[in-house]
Amino acid sequence: MTPERLVELAKEAMTHAYAPYSGFKVGAALLCADGTVYQGCNIENAAYGPTNCAERTAFFKAVYDGHRDFQAIAVCGGKDGVISGAFPPCGVCRQVMREFCEDDFMLYLVDEKGYTAATLAEILPFSFSAKKHMQD
Ligand code: THU
């Protein structure tokens, strides 16, 4: 599975978005360690709070099906499904990634020209062990 193919699958997922309130359609394609890909879209709600991001839709579908090892995710989004700039994951989605993924989990953040690659460690850099001070 190439990053380019994962990006294509994220773009396809974006067409499934339910985004009548913001108008921002977002798609994600999540690559599992065994090569399976789960696609997700954002699913909005009139009460805003229950809105589910594309990334979490993909993760929750995969975890329900028994997957817990993940390699990469491609994410794309834009107003009315037109990509104009990258869509970095929100804090809640980063926390969900932290639950299941290692520091080297790859993100491909799609823009109109291609994608930016980043690791989970780069977008959620806190390391507990690096901050720890031992006292006797
Ligand atoms: N959204 C995502 O699906 N993923 C992100 O990474 C950021 C935001 C959705 C939530 C909402 O439906 C819309 O984009 C506008 O914030």
Side-chain angles (χ1 to χ4, degrees):
M1 173 60 60
T2 63
E4 288 75 15
R5 177 71 186 132
L6 209 56
V7 166
E8 271 179 36
L9 291 168
K11 287 179 178 174
E12 195 282 325
M14 185 172 63
T15 68
H16 296 245
Y18 175 73
Y21 303 104
S22 75
F24 279 93
K25 297 186 173 189
V26 186
L30 174 64
L31 177 62
C32 305
D34 70 355
T36 313
V37 175
Y38 281 84
Q39 291 168 286
C41 63
N42 56 331
I43 302 168
E44 296 189 343
N45 189 278
Y48 289 97
T51 292
N52 211 57
C53 291
E55 296 92 321
R56 275 177 288 140
T57 301
F59 268 94
F60 295 158
K61 284 169 66 181
V63 172
Y64 179 85
D65 280 352
H67 295 276
R68 300 214 179 145
D69 292 330
F70 303 106
Q71 287 183 352
I73 193 166
V75 185
C76 65
K79 189 80 177 164
D80 301 321
V82 179
I83 296 170
S84 60
F87 240 75
C90 77
V92 173
C93 288
R94 292 177 201 211
Q95 187 66 32
V96 168
M97 290 173 196
R98 178 52 78 203
E99 184 71 23
F100 293 105
C101 303
E102 302 298 327
D103 277 351
D104 61 355
F105 177 73
M106 289 302 307
L107 295 103
Y108 304 116
L109 306 177
V110 182
D111 58 33
E112 57 275 48
K113 295 191 176 142
Y115 61 85
T116 300
T119 63
L120 178 57
E122 287 171 324
I123 66 158
L124 198 62
F126 181 79
S127 163
F128 191 76
S129 57
K131 311 280 182 201
K132 204 163 184 176
H133 292 262
M134 304 302 281
Q135 287 185 313
D136 45 31

